[in-house]
Amino acid sequence: MERCYKLIVTLLVLTYVLIPTQKVLAYDTDLSNEDVKIIHANSTKQEKKEVINITNEELLLLSKLVTGEARGESYEGQVAVAAVVINRVIDYRFPNTIKDVIYQKNAFSVVKDGSINMQPTESAYDAAREALYGYDPTNEAIYFWNPDIATCKWIKTLDPYMRIGNHVFAK
């Protein structure tokens, strides 16, 4: 009997843990006879979906922008910079491609000073991908700047609502 019990437990583990499923077995401790219930749950592997569709070249370009604009920032700060670019692509007031947003006249200092051409760091690439898949620590900001070094008078008229590292963010 003990062998049979072990075999059943092993099969259950293999069936419900190692094989992806939409159902999970759980014991309800409130029931006196310890009935087994089937609980519907999300699959353990959820497919991540891109917020926007971009090419590998655009992802590389976004990573380069993050490398230049968020140099010295935390990983969250790097994701935030990437998220702002993606938010601009989504926003009707801005161009609708990564390339056009990044190269929009006077939009980013790294384009003007040439540091957009630097090799992207691994963390910048990861941050760009994470933003692409929906992580936005800025809560949909479309502007960011470092108030200590910003020279644009217009950007200082915006009302920032959050700060991550050296950057402030606004909508």
Side-chain angles (χ1 to χ4, degrees):
M1 184 71 173
E2 190 174 327
R3 281 183 162 174
C4 184
Y5 177 75
K6 286 181 180 179
L7 179 61
I8 290 171
V9 169
T10 303
L11 289 173
L12 285 174
V13 167
L14 289 173
T15 303
Y16 290 100
V17 175
L18 300 179
I19 299 172
T21 184
Q22 292 290 332
K23 295 179 182 178
V24 177
L25 289 180
Y27 287 99
D28 189 344
T29 55
D30 292 339
L31 297 176
S32 58
N33 61 358
E34 295 185 358
D35 288 339
V36 175
K37 287 184 164 183
I38 296 180
I39 300 172
H40 294 280
N42 288 334
S43 176
T44 54
K45 283 188 175 180
Q46 292 183 353
E47 274 190 46
K48 290 183 178 182
K49 188 172 180 181
E50 296 173 341
V51 176
I52 58 173
N53 292 321
I54 65 172
T55 65
N56 288 336
E57 290 79 20
E58 288 174 309
L59 181 59
L60 178 62
L61 181 61
L62 180 58
S63 302
K64 288 179 173 187
L65 177 106
V66 170
T67 298
E69 290 285 351
R71 197 172 346 175
E73 295 292 327
S74 67
Y75 182 73
E76 182 182 32
Q78 293 177 46
V79 175
V81 166
V84 166
V85 174
I86 290 168
N87 292 339
R88 286 186 182 191
V89 171
I90 294 168
D91 191 295
Y92 72 93
R93 296 171 287 180
F94 292 90
N96 61 2
T97 69
I98 294 286
K99 183 178 179 181
D100 290 344
V101 164
I102 290 174
Y103 287 107
Q104 189 175 20
K105 186 175 181 179
N106 298 322
F108 298 101
S109 61
V110 296
V111 173
K112 189 172 184 178
D113 70 18
S115 57
I116 188 76
N117 298 315
M118 292 175 25
Q119 189 67 22
T121 63
E122 188 174 332
S123 66
Y125 183 79
D126 292 343
R129 284 183 47 89
E130 196 159 346
L132 179 62
Y133 283 99
Y135 178 45
D136 182 0
T138 74
N139 194 23
E140 300 179 358
I142 54 172
Y143 301 103
F144 73 89
W145 69 97
N146 181 332
D148 297 332
I149 62 172
T151 58
C152 176
K153 291 178 184 177
W154 173 84
I155 198 82
K156 293 179 182 181
T157 65
L158 296 175
D159 187 25
Y161 62 90
M162 76 179 321
R163 182 180 198 104
I164 300 173
N166 292 318
H167 290 131
V168 292
F169 296 84
K171 291 185 180 185

